[in-house]
Amino acid sequence: MTPSALRVLATVAHLRDLSPTVREFTLTLPPGPWMAAPGAHIELAVPAGPGSAPAAPLLRTYSLIDPTPGGPVRIAVKRMDQGRGGSRAMWQLQPGQTLAISPPQQHFSIDWDAPAHVLMAGGIGITPLLGMARQLSARGAPVTLLYGVASVSEAVYAEPLRQWLGERLQLLTGQPLDVPAAIASLPPDGQLVVCGPVGLLQSAQALWQASGRRPERLRFETFGAAPGALARPFALTAPRHGLHCTVPAEASLLDALQARGIEVLSECRRGECGLCVLDVLALDGEIEHRDVFLSAADKAANRHICSCVSRVRGHITIDSAYRADRLPAGLPA
């Protein structure tokens, strides 16, 4: 999604701190047919703040918390002091401020008729699963939720989950989620739904594939880039655009290109959908592949980079999808 698609003006109506690092935002939308199901998300533009780079607003994607038709929308933002600045900028917002957002989008739906569901959440990955847990429980469907957090204070939304699920909620503190056991607990056509850090998702993908189960019965969403070294600046060249610049530590490759007026298709901004993948023409250094879209072979070949989350140690030369000779006659290049 490009910045021009953020055409809805939302107002910050209410703030609520759920933990020392997680803040919930309630946003009111103008009248319109805003429909969203569990798993939906919005993309929003948050001011970068003084002294930030790039100067353009930061584009970030957040899952909606248990959306209801016609009501306000809620998102939860975990403050990441070592992140790329989006969460810090969000935490500076106050009630009454407005944000440009996209209409609710849905790329994380589940099969409500599956014979059983296991939901797995790591940390702030609980947000898109809340509505799923509530509705599955209300339907009387077999569902278990495994919720892993670093500490009890970070177990946001644990109370409503206990009310909905009772003993079917397994809250794990300071220990990894047991993905093999979760898969083994499902009947042959059961569905595993995962949201959390990339490491959890990669483990689930590999184990699900090894189990021989139907690929479409695994549904997933990440909430951030893969773990790795702290972000650092890197050099970028885009010959087709005559561009040579430095991508700062607090900006993604996608951010840097769009801040310079170079449109790149994007959607999830979590390294899942693959829309923002760019061709790599040359590489002097190493790509830190932080996505879950490219295969292991693709990452080893270093011929493509997922520009929304992956980074470089060194200098990369890329090509975009822009082709001046493919523009309709009469349009400027």
Side-chain angles (χ1 to χ4, degrees):
M1 184 173 294
T2 62
S4 61
L6 307 184
R7 61 182 184 272
V8 179
L9 197 62
T11 302
V12 179
H14 182 67
L15 306 176
R16 182 166 68 113
D17 287 344
L18 306 177
S19 80
T21 65
V22 178
R23 177 170 293 174
E24 182 185 272
F25 296 74
T26 299
L27 309 176
T28 56
L29 307 182
W34 313 122
M35 300 295 293
H41 69 271
I42 57 172
E43 188 170 2
L44 58 82
V46 59
S52 298
L58 301 170
L59 302 183
R60 296 294 183 264
T61 301
Y62 295 103
S63 296
L64 300 184
I65 299 168
D66 196 11
T68 55
V73 300
R74 293 182 297 150
I75 60 174
V77 180
K78 184 175 179 65
R79 184 181 175 92
M80 305 289 289
D81 290 329
Q82 301 300 322
R84 294 187 287 116
S87 66
R88 298 193 301 274
M90 286 292 294
W91 273 54
Q92 293 173 9
L93 295 175
Q94 297 298 319
Q97 288 186 256
T98 57
L99 294 169
I101 72 170
S102 70
Q105 309 291 313
Q106 178 62 270
H107 301 301
F108 188 34
S109 58
I110 64 173
D111 181 358
W112 297 97
D113 295 324
H117 293 82
V118 170
L119 313 179
M120 299 186 71
I124 195 63
I126 191 63
T127 53
L129 303 187
L130 282 166
M132 298 178 188
R134 182 181 63 80
Q135 291 198 21
L136 286 168
S137 179
R139 296 178 182 208
V143 56
T144 300
L145 172 59
L146 281 65
Y147 183 14
V149 292
S151 64
V152 173
S153 65
E154 295 300 314
V156 298
Y157 303 113
E159 286 309 310
L161 286 168
R162 288 192 184 99
Q163 295 175 17
W164 301 333
L165 300 174
E167 295 183 354
R168 294 174 294 172
L169 170 65
Q170 299 179 26
L171 182 61
L172 303 173
T173 305
Q175 56 183 302
L177 296 173
D178 191 340
V179 181
I183 295 174
S185 71
L186 284 166
D189 210 25
Q191 188 165 63
L192 179 65
V193 185
V194 186
C195 185
V198 172
L200 171 63
L201 177 53
Q202 290 174 335
S203 174
Q205 287 178 304
L207 291 165
W208 189 264
Q209 183 177 12
S211 74
R213 292 174 178 259
R214 292 167 54 189
E216 65 272 20
R217 287 308 196 194
L218 171 65
R219 300 308 309 272
F220 59 82
E221 185 173 76
T222 61
F223 62 72
L230 294 179
R232 66 191 73 188
F234 61 92
L236 166 66
T237 298
R240 191 176 297 280
H241 302 279
L243 173 66
H244 181 75
C245 67
T246 297
V247 178
E250 63 269 30
S252 68
L253 171 54
L254 178 62
D255 290 334
L257 291 170
Q258 292 188 332
R260 290 161 177 81
I262 300 173
E263 294 287 353
V264 178
L265 289 175
S266 65
E267 181 62 46
C268 71
R269 289 183 172 264
R270 291 185 295 265
E272 297 171 8
C273 69
L275 278 179
C276 70
V277 169
L278 300 173
D279 293 337
V280 176
L281 301 179
L283 176 65
D284 182 10
E286 177 185 356
I287 297 178
E288 298 174 1
H289 290 286
R290 302 181 177 189
D291 64 279
V292 294
F293 175 79
L294 296 175
S295 68
D298 286 333
K299 293 176 180 178
N302 281 335
R303 290 193 294 266
H304 302 94
I305 184 171
C306 200
S307 63
C308 68
V309 293
S310 295
R311 302 192 66 80
V312 176
R313 298 182 184 183
H315 178 201
I316 190 170
T317 302
I318 60 95
D319 191 18
S320 72
Y322 171 86
R323 295 292 186 273
D325 57 352
R326 294 184 184 178
L327 291 174
L331 290 181

